[in-house]
Amino acid sequence: MDEMIFPKSLKKGDQIAIISPAGAVEEKQLQKGLEIIRQKGFEPVLGKHLYTEFSNGYSYAGTEKERISDLNWAFNNDGISAVWASRGGYGCQHLLGHLQLSKLKKNPKWYIGYSDNTVIQSFLLKNNFVSIHGQTIKTSNFGVSDESYDLIFDILKGEKPDYKVESNPLNKKGTAEGQLIGGNLALIYALLGTPYSFNFKDKILFIEDIGENYYALDRMMISLELAGVFRKIKGLIIGGMTYMGDEKDNKNYAESFDGFAYQLISDRLKKYGFPTLFGFPNGHIFDNKPLIIGADIKMQIEDQVKVQFK
């Protein structure tokens, strides 16, 4: 495995580009998140098409050309120290064949986001760049935990997370070390068989999702199995599974870690022996603690559960 590229630590006054690579976003939805960045001592710089709206079967934050333009500007502008996605939604896959990273290699910078941003993070990983799987700017508008943002700024300043996680009865005990990959399950599934798919061999895979019917969750798990993913990975971390199934029938619909979704996943993994951690606090949930995609981790699953970044 090639050595991963970690950006240099940010210092007060550094500029953070705010871009919308997927769904449209309103200015009022970002006000709180932008203020958090300012309060931490950094300067948010808004992409030209941050608030653009283009309707084409979905409300995108601009045409593909406009969104690509903003992302390439952010990646290749020497004055920018980090790039933070305003939101996810749908549309990041449109950009994959058009991303330009030539200047990024000379001036690496953090990319921050989750959900649909998983595909951009997979692209970055293939080019040996780490990224932060954590809150977008818009999610601050939902009243999420302050710590989920504080921990992102800790990473930007050069710290690496060290998490203790509540034990779950579905866990498979053991210890695994390796590179962390993954993100949103629907996007991991969507990339299978493409040049942009994650390389799963000897990796520790993280998955999370939101708003999926149970049969769709099962289909994605089976697809990963048929693709040989579970024969390749060294460990699995399952994060948030929320708003799953039918709201009328699911009394746990709004819970962060849907019990039936977890049982479906556990059932699909019965024949595999790798360490498996359920209930990691990352995903479309209130307490979304950031992960560094592409970093090496050690996961220890015993009566006490730890995830340590190296």
Side-chain angles (χ1 to χ4, degrees), residues 41-262:
F42 303 102
E43 179 186 352
V45 180
L46 309 188
K48 181 179 179 180
H49 302 289
L50 178 65
Y51 299 121
T52 299
E53 184 174 357
F54 173 68
S55 181
N56 188 34
Y58 179 78
S59 184
Y60 299 102
T63 63
E64 292 178 26
K65 185 176 180 180
E66 288 170 334
R67 288 180 282 129
I68 291 163
S69 174
D70 272 12
L71 192 51
N72 282 332
W73 158 77
F75 278 152
N76 296 292
N77 186 320
D78 289 338
I80 299 297
S81 298
V83 184
W84 207 325
S86 70
R87 60 162 293 183
Y90 173 69
C92 288
Q93 283 176 291
H94 298 154
L95 316 183
L96 291 179
H98 307 280
L99 297 181
Q100 300 168 2
L101 304 180
S102 57
K103 289 189 177 181
L104 187 65
K105 293 177 181 178
K106 299 176 183 177
N107 182 24
K109 56 196 73 173
W110 287 106
Y111 185 83
I112 310 155
Y114 75 118
S115 194
D116 201 58
N117 291 280
T118 292
V119 298
I120 294 176
Q121 294 173 315
S122 180
F123 182 90
L124 290 171
L125 184 60
K126 284 191 168 297
N127 288 274
N128 301 322
F129 294 100
V130 299
S131 61
I132 299 174
H133 189 276
Q135 298 286 22
T136 59
I137 305 298
K138 180 182 174 182
T139 44
S140 62
N141 192 51
F142 300 155
V144 297
S145 71
D146 291 337
E147 188 181 26
S148 61
Y149 281 95
D150 292 340
L151 290 168
I152 289 175
F153 287 102
D154 288 344
I155 295 173
L156 294 179
K157 290 185 285 188
E159 299 181 23
K160 291 185 179 179
D162 188 348
Y163 294 123
K164 294 182 180 178
V165 184
E166 186 175 339
S167 184
N168 187 292
L170 293 175
N171 285 351
K172 286 184 181 178
K173 292 184 177 182
T175 298
E177 297 184 49
Q179 186 184 50
L180 181 67
I181 65 169
N184 182 261
L185 176 59
L187 277 305
I188 297 168
Y189 163 78
L191 291 176
L192 287 176
T194 76
Y196 306 104
S197 181
F198 289 98
N199 174 6
F200 299 96
K201 185 171 176 54
D202 295 329
K203 305 300 193 302
I204 295 176
L205 176 63
F206 169 76
I207 61 173
E208 62 85 26
D209 222 321
I210 183 173
E212 296 287 354
N213 285 311
Y214 290 126
Y215 71 83
L217 172 62
D218 189 55
R219 178 171 56 202
M220 290 187 285
M221 291 297 296
I222 291 175
S223 290
L224 264 62
E225 181 173 24
L226 294 174
V229 170
F230 301 135
R231 295 193 301 272
K232 298 175 183 178
I233 60 175
K234 296 170 70 174
L236 179 66
I237 299 174
I238 302 99
M241 293 281 162
T242 189
Y243 301 136
M244 307 297 282
D246 190 325
E247 184 175 8
K248 299 189 300 293
D249 301 326
N250 183 5
K251 63 181 181 180
N252 300 313
Y253 186 73
E255 295 296 320
S256 294
F257 309 113
D258 184 276
F260 189 72
Y262 271 20

Side-chain angles (χ1 to χ4, degrees), residues 246-302:
D246 190 325
E247 184 175 8
K248 299 189 300 293
D249 301 326
N250 183 5
K251 63 181 181 180
N252 300 313
Y253 186 73
E255 295 296 320
S256 294
F257 309 113
D258 184 276
F260 189 72
Y262 271 20
Q263 189 61 58
L264 277 177
I265 294 170
S266 179
D267 289 345
R268 288 295 171 196
L269 298 174
K270 281 183 178 177
K271 63 183 176 182
Y272 300 100
F274 49 75
T276 306
L277 167 56
F278 286 85
F280 188 89
N282 181 290
H284 293 73
I285 58 178
F286 171 79
D287 189 26
N288 179 8
K289 290 184 168 62
L291 295 167
I292 304 175
I293 300 299
D296 288 333
I297 69 167
K298 180 179 182 179
M299 56 185 290
Q300 297 173 283
I301 308 173
E302 301 299 338

